[in-house]
Short mmCIF file of all heavy atoms in Angstrom, two decimals:
data_model
loop_
_atom_site.label_atom_id
_atom_site.label_comp_id
_atom_site.label_asym_id
_atom_site.label_seq_id
_atom_site.Cartn_x
_atom_site.Cartn_y
_atom_site.Cartn_z
N THR A 112 52.57 -82.85 176.83
CA THR A 112 53.32 -83.63 177.82
C THR A 112 54.57 -82.86 178.26
O THR A 112 54.98 -81.89 177.61
CB THR A 112 53.82 -84.98 177.25
OG1 THR A 112 54.81 -84.70 176.24
CG2 THR A 112 52.71 -85.81 176.68
N GLY A 113 55.18 -83.37 179.32
CA GLY A 113 56.40 -82.76 179.82
C GLY A 113 57.51 -82.79 178.78
O GLY A 113 58.15 -81.77 178.49
N ALA A 114 57.73 -83.97 178.19
CA ALA A 114 58.82 -84.07 177.21
C ALA A 114 58.55 -83.16 176.01
O ALA A 114 59.47 -82.55 175.47
CB ALA A 114 58.97 -85.52 176.76
N GLU A 115 57.29 -83.07 175.61
CA GLU A 115 56.98 -82.24 174.43
C GLU A 115 57.29 -80.76 174.70
O GLU A 115 57.82 -80.06 173.85
CB GLU A 115 55.51 -82.41 174.03
CG GLU A 115 55.23 -81.78 172.67
CD GLU A 115 53.74 -81.71 172.29
OE1 GLU A 115 52.88 -81.91 173.16
OE2 GLU A 115 53.46 -81.43 171.12
N VAL A 117 59.47 -79.65 176.91
CA VAL A 117 60.93 -79.50 177.01
C VAL A 117 61.52 -79.36 175.60
O VAL A 117 62.36 -78.50 175.33
CB VAL A 117 61.56 -80.69 177.78
CG1 VAL A 117 63.08 -80.69 177.65
CG2 VAL A 117 61.16 -80.64 179.25
N PHE A 142 66.18 -84.59 185.52
CA PHE A 142 65.36 -85.40 184.61
C PHE A 142 64.46 -84.48 183.80
O PHE A 142 63.82 -83.59 184.36
CB PHE A 142 64.51 -86.44 185.37
CG PHE A 142 63.69 -87.27 184.44
CD1 PHE A 142 64.31 -88.14 183.54
CD2 PHE A 142 62.30 -87.17 184.40
CE1 PHE A 142 63.57 -88.89 182.63
CE2 PHE A 142 61.55 -87.92 183.50
CZ PHE A 142 62.18 -88.78 182.62
N HIS A 143 64.41 -84.73 182.48
CA HIS A 143 63.65 -83.82 181.62
C HIS A 143 62.77 -84.54 180.61
O HIS A 143 62.17 -83.89 179.77
CB HIS A 143 64.61 -82.87 180.90
CG HIS A 143 65.49 -82.11 181.85
ND1 HIS A 143 65.02 -81.08 182.63
CD2 HIS A 143 66.80 -82.28 182.20
CE1 HIS A 143 66.00 -80.62 183.40
NE2 HIS A 143 67.09 -81.33 183.16
N GLY A 144 62.71 -85.88 180.66
CA GLY A 144 61.84 -86.58 179.74
C GLY A 144 62.61 -87.57 178.89
O GLY A 144 63.84 -87.67 178.98
N LYS A 145 61.87 -88.29 178.04
CA LYS A 145 62.49 -89.41 177.33
C LYS A 145 62.55 -89.24 175.83
O LYS A 145 62.94 -90.16 175.11
CB LYS A 145 61.74 -90.70 177.69
CG LYS A 145 61.94 -91.07 179.15
CD LYS A 145 61.18 -92.28 179.56
CE LYS A 145 61.35 -92.51 181.05
NZ LYS A 145 60.30 -93.34 181.61
N GLU A 210 66.11 -78.25 186.79
CA GLU A 210 64.99 -78.35 187.73
C GLU A 210 65.42 -77.57 188.97
O GLU A 210 66.46 -77.90 189.56
CB GLU A 210 64.76 -79.80 188.14
CG GLU A 210 64.28 -80.73 187.06
CD GLU A 210 64.21 -82.16 187.62
OE1 GLU A 210 63.19 -82.52 188.20
OE2 GLU A 210 65.20 -82.89 187.49
N ALA A 215 62.82 -86.16 190.13
CA ALA A 215 62.91 -87.59 189.88
C ALA A 215 64.09 -88.21 190.62
O ALA A 215 64.07 -89.38 190.99
CB ALA A 215 63.04 -87.85 188.38
N ASP A 243 62.91 -76.13 184.16
CA ASP A 243 62.00 -77.26 183.93
C ASP A 243 61.17 -77.43 185.21
O ASP A 243 61.61 -78.05 186.18
CB ASP A 243 62.79 -78.52 183.61
CG ASP A 243 61.86 -79.70 183.32
OD1 ASP A 243 60.65 -79.58 183.63
OD2 ASP A 243 62.33 -80.72 182.81
N VAL A 245 58.18 -78.83 185.13
CA VAL A 245 57.16 -79.82 184.77
C VAL A 245 56.60 -80.47 186.03
O VAL A 245 55.40 -80.70 186.14
CB VAL A 245 57.78 -80.87 183.80
CG1 VAL A 245 56.93 -82.13 183.72
CG2 VAL A 245 57.93 -80.25 182.41
N LEU A 246 57.48 -80.76 186.99
CA LEU A 246 57.05 -81.42 188.22
C LEU A 246 56.74 -80.41 189.33
O LEU A 246 55.77 -80.57 190.08
CB LEU A 246 58.15 -82.40 188.65
CG LEU A 246 57.91 -83.32 189.83
CD1 LEU A 246 58.65 -84.63 189.61
CD2 LEU A 246 58.38 -82.70 191.12
N SER A 271 53.78 -78.74 183.67
CA SER A 271 52.86 -79.75 183.13
C SER A 271 52.06 -80.45 184.22
O SER A 271 50.86 -80.25 184.33
CB SER A 271 53.64 -80.78 182.29
OG SER A 271 52.76 -81.75 181.80
N LYS A 272 52.73 -81.25 185.05
CA LYS A 272 51.99 -82.14 185.95
C LYS A 272 50.94 -81.42 186.80
O LYS A 272 49.84 -81.92 186.97
CB LYS A 272 52.97 -82.86 186.88
CG LYS A 272 53.83 -83.90 186.17
CD LYS A 272 54.85 -84.44 187.14
CE LYS A 272 55.82 -85.41 186.50
NZ LYS A 272 55.32 -86.78 186.38
C1 PLP B 501 61.12 -82.31 185.63
C2 PLP B 501 60.51 -83.17 184.56
N1 PLP B 501 60.64 -82.80 183.27
C3 PLP B 501 60.09 -83.52 182.27
C4 PLP B 501 59.39 -84.68 182.54
C5 PLP B 501 58.81 -85.47 181.41
O1 PLP B 501 57.43 -85.39 181.42
P1 PLP B 501 56.56 -86.46 180.62
O2 PLP B 501 56.66 -87.75 181.35
O3 PLP B 501 55.16 -85.88 180.67
O4 PLP B 501 57.09 -86.52 179.24
C6 PLP B 501 59.23 -85.09 183.87
C7 PLP B 501 58.49 -86.32 184.18
O5 PLP B 501 58.44 -86.80 185.27
C8 PLP B 501 59.81 -84.32 184.91
O6 PLP B 501 59.71 -84.68 186.20
#
Side-chain angles (χ1 to χ4, degrees):
T112 67
E115 191 189 13
V117 168
F142 180 66
H143 304 287
K145 293 177 184 159
E210 293 176 86
D243 182 347
V245 163
L246 186 148
S271 179
K272 290 174 184 278

